[in-house]
Amino acid sequence: MKRILFFLAVIFPILLCAATGHSQDWTSIQEAFRKIKSVRAEFLQKRHLQILKDPLLSEGRFFFDASGSLRWEYLKPLRSVMLQKGDAIQLYHFSEGKWKPEMIQAVEARRMVLAEIHQWFQGRFAESKVFSHIYSSGSPPRVVLTPKEGINKFISRIEILLSAKPGVIDRVEIEEPGNSRTSIEFRNVEINPSFPSEIFEKP
Amino acid sequence: MTRRQGLHILVLSGLIFSMGCALLTEKAIGPGSPDDLSLCYVIFPAGSWESVHKIEATIRGGASSTLLGVTRGDPTERGLHSLLLTPEGFILFEAELRDGKIRTLKAVAPFDSPAFAIGLMEDVILLFLCPQGKPASWGKRGDGTRICLWEGPDSSRTEIKGSMERGWRILRQDDQGDVTREVSLNGPFVHGLASHLELRAFKPAPYKLRMTLVQAAP
C-alpha cells in the first residue's frame, strides 16, 4: 500500500506537469498558428518510390494566404503551377517558353489536398474530415495525422514536423501503403509577407 | 480539276512516291557483317537500369499535360516496371511487364482502361527494350548511318536507323504497312539511356510524347 501511495505521490505530479506542459505547448502553438495570415516559402520534395534507389527530387515554392488562396509551384525537374483562389483551381505547365493549361486537371482530388494544406498552415487540424490528429511534443514537436476509412488506401500516415519557431512547419512526411513516401522540407519560410493577389490568378 | 486540286494531287503523289522509295531502300539492306550487328542494340541499355523522365504529352487538338515517368528495366529478363506521376508525386498509373505479360498495379481515371495500359506499356517496350530476336537485315550506309530491320511474327516491322553523331530513329509499322509509331532518340546517352526522346503515335489515335531524362542509375 505504501508503495502504491509512494508511486502516486511521485508519479502523479510528474504526469500532471507533463500534461499541463503539453497543453500549454499545444495552446501556444495554436495561438501562433492563428496569427498567420500569409506564408511564402521554398520547398524540396523527396519522393521515395520502391522501384527507385534514389528519391525523386523536386524543388518549388509556395505562397499561402489564409483568406483562401494558394500558389503551389514546381520549378524542377518540371515546371508547373497549381493556383487556388477561393473555389477556383487552375493548373498550368511551362513548355516551349510559355505556360499552357494542364490537360489533366483532377480538380476534385487536388481540392481535397489543398483544403488539407490550408488547415495545416493555420493549425486547424481538428477540422479535417479525412484525418484524425495527435499532437506530440518532443524534439521536434509534431502532429501525426491518421487517415480515416477510405483515404487509408492511399495514405497510411502523415507527420507534420514543427519548427522551433511556433506556427512554422519545417517538414511534412507522407507515408503510403507499400513503402512509398514523400518528404517535403520547407526553407526560407517567411511569415505574414505581403504579395499581390494576382500571383494566385496568373501563372 | 482546278489548278489547286492538281497541285494537291501532285504533292500527295510525291509524298507516296518518296515513302515507297524509303521502304525499298530499307528492304535493299542486306545482312551486314557480324560486327555491325552489335550496333543494332546500341540505343538500348545493356544491363538493369532505372530512370526518371519529364514527359510532355500532347494529343490531337493541342491539349497537353506534363507528367513524370519512372521506369525500371531488366533487359535480360525483358522486364519493365513503370509509373506515371503528377508533378506532386501522386501515382496515376503503375504497371509491369513480366514473363511477357502486362499487369496493371495501379490506375486512376483517366488512365484506368485496359486499352490505355496496353498502349502505354507497348510504348515503354518500344522505347526501352530491344525488339525480340535477331534483325532480319542490317547494314551501314556510306554516310555511316546504321540500319537494322526486325520483322515480327505478326508481319509488323521495326526499323532502327541512325548514328551516335546524328541521333537515332525507331519506326514501327503494323501488318498493313502503316507507320504506327516513330521515335527519335538523341544523346547524350546516360547509362545507355537517351537524354531526349520524342515518340509520335499515328494509329489508332495520334499523340506525341516528348521526354527528357531527369535521373538515371544502373
Side-chain angles (χ1 to χ4, degrees), chain B residues 15-51:
Chain B
L15 281 171
I16 291 165
F17 180 71
S18 62
M19 282 173 73
C21 283
L23 286 174
L24 283 174
T25 309
E26 316 317 356
K27 278 179 181 168
I29 299 282
S33 71
D35 290 347
D36 287 338
L37 183 60
S38 63
L39 290 163
C40 294
Y41 308 101
V42 76
I43 59 168
F44 301 103
S48 297
W49 51 272
E50 60 182 48
S51 66

Side-chain angles (χ1 to χ4, degrees), chain A residues 52-100:
Chain A
L52 283 181
K53 285 177 211 147
D54 299 320
L56 167 56
L57 305 179
S58 305
E59 287 178 46
R61 59 188 175 186
F62 83 93
F63 300 82
F64 165 80
D65 189 292
S67 66
S69 301
L70 187 88
R71 179 188 179 100
W72 189 271
E73 184 174 4
Y74 288 92
L75 302 169
K76 288 179 187 172
L78 53 83
R79 204 165 162 206
S80 72
V81 67
M82 179 163 50
L83 304 172
Q84 183 190 28
K85 188 161 189 182
D87 284 340
I89 296 171
Q90 302 173 80
L91 278 99
Y92 297 89
H93 62 267
F94 194 81
S95 171
E96 295 169 325
K98 60 181 178 186
W99 288 103
K100 296 177 181 176

Side-chain angles (χ1 to χ4, degrees), chain B:
Chain B
M1 188 191 297
T2 64
R3 192 175 167 184
R4 182 182 286 263
Q5 283 172 323
L7 192 65
H8 283 170
I9 289 169
L10 191 69
V11 170
L12 199 62
S13 309
L15 281 171
I16 291 165
F17 180 71
S18 62
M19 282 173 73
C21 283
L23 286 174
L24 283 174
T25 309
E26 316 317 356
K27 278 179 181 168
I29 299 282
S33 71
D35 290 347
D36 287 338
L37 183 60
S38 63
L39 290 163
C40 294
Y41 308 101
V42 76
I43 59 168
F44 301 103
S48 297
W49 51 272
E50 60 182 48
S51 66
V52 179
H53 286 87
K54 179 172 81 173
I55 303 172
E56 185 180 356
T58 309
I59 59 167
R60 186 162 47 189
S64 63
S65 182
T66 49
L67 298 162
L68 290 163
V70 176
T71 304
R72 190 171 66 186
D74 181 359
T76 51
E77 297 287 328
R78 285 191 72 77
L80 288 168
H81 190 150
S82 289
L83 290 93
L84 270 184
L85 299 102
T86 65
E88 300 97 322
F90 183 68
I91 299 171
L92 297 168
F93 177 84
E94 182 175 5
E96 64 177 8
L97 170 75
R98 192 185 289 179
D99 302 324
K101 291 189 180 118
I102 293 168
R103 194 161 66 102
T104 304
L105 305 171
K106 190 182 278 188
V108 299
F111 304 103
D112 51 351
S113 76
F116 174 84
I118 292 167
L120 186 137
M121 289 307 284
E122 282 180 351
D123 283 350
V124 178
I125 292 167
L126 181 69
L127 292 169
F128 299 117
L129 290 181
C130 183
Q132 282 183 290
K134 195 176 164 184
S137 58
W138 68 93
K140 187 168 76 173
R141 281 184 181 160
D143 64 356
T145 303
R146 315 281 172 164
I147 302 171
C148 303
L149 184 69
W150 281 263
E151 286 174 358
D154 56 352
S155 302
S156 66
R157 286 154 54 98
T158 307
E159 178 194 270
I160 296 176
K161 185 163 69 173
S163 67
M164 278 300 177
E165 296 76 32
R166 286 189 290 271
W168 296 84
R169 192 179 72 150
I170 305 174
L171 211 62
R172 169 68 59 85
Q173 285 179 326
D174 64 10
D175 57 351
Q176 309 293 311
D178 296 332
V179 174
T180 58
R181 299 285 185 277
E182 183 176 4
V183 183
S184 64
L185 304 93
N186 289 288
F189 282 71
V190 182
H191 299 298
L193 296 157
S195 295
H196 303 280
L197 297 162
E198 187 170 298
L199 181 146
R200 285 176 181 274
F202 303 102
K203 206 176 160 185
Y207 58 88
K208 185 174 82 174
L209 304 176
R210 217 174 58 216
M211 301 170 62
T212 308
L213 188 65
V214 174
Q215 283 176 220

Side-chain angles (χ1 to χ4, degrees), chain A residues 26 30-31 35 42-43 67 72 77 85 91 103 105 117 127 184 188 191:
Chain A
W26 184 229
Q30 287 199 302
E31 185 59 34
K35 289 176 185 164
E42 294 163 9
F43 63 84
S67 66
W72 189 271
K85 188 161 189 182
L91 278 99
M103 181 169 62
Q105 294 277 321
I117 293 172
E127 291 176 27
I184 305 171
N188 300 325
I191 299 297

Side-chain angles (χ1 to χ4, degrees), chain A residues 40-194:
Chain A
R40 174 165 52 202
E42 294 163 9
F43 63 84
L44 172 67
Q45 181 178 298
K46 296 178 186 173
R47 185 75 170 93
H48 298 263
L49 293 164
Q50 224 176 356
I51 74 162
L52 283 181
K53 285 177 211 147
D54 299 320
L56 167 56
L57 305 179
S58 305
E59 287 178 46
R61 59 188 175 186
F62 83 93
F63 300 82
F64 165 80
D65 189 292
S67 66
S69 301
L70 187 88
R71 179 188 179 100
W72 189 271
E73 184 174 4
Y74 288 92
L75 302 169
K76 288 179 187 172
L78 53 83
R79 204 165 162 206
S80 72
V81 67
M82 179 163 50
L83 304 172
Q84 183 190 28
K85 188 161 189 182
D87 284 340
I89 296 171
Q90 302 173 80
L91 278 99
Y92 297 89
H93 62 267
F94 194 81
S95 171
E96 295 169 325
K98 60 181 178 186
W99 288 103
K100 296 177 181 176
E102 174 60 42
M103 181 169 62
I104 304 160
Q105 294 277 321
V107 165
E108 286 315 309
R110 286 182 160 114
R111 195 188 303 281
M112 196 181 77
V113 173
L114 290 172
E116 291 299 316
I117 293 172
H118 272 279
Q119 287 163 4
W120 299 349
F121 281 104
Q122 294 177 288
R124 296 187 284 116
F125 300 102
E127 291 176 27
S128 175
K129 289 175 185 163
V130 287
F131 292 99
S132 57
H133 77 285
I134 297 171
Y135 170 70
S136 166
S137 59
S139 188
R142 65 194 65 201
V143 178
V144 179
L145 304 178
T146 309
K148 294 175 185 171
E149 193 66 30
I151 201 84
N152 56 1
K153 280 188 283 185
F154 307 101
I155 294 170
S156 315
R157 168 191 169 97
I158 297 177
E159 278 196 22
I160 297 169
L161 289 88
L162 305 173
S163 160
K165 190 176 173 185
V168 175
I169 294 172
D170 257 355
R171 197 168 78 233
V172 176
E173 299 272 359
I174 303 165
E175 290 175 24
E176 295 164 49
N179 289 333
S180 292
R181 65 193 165 89
T182 303
S183 151
I184 305 171
E185 293 170 21
F186 296 101
R187 300 184 285 200
N188 300 325
V189 181
E190 289 178 57
I191 299 297
N192 295 333
S194 56

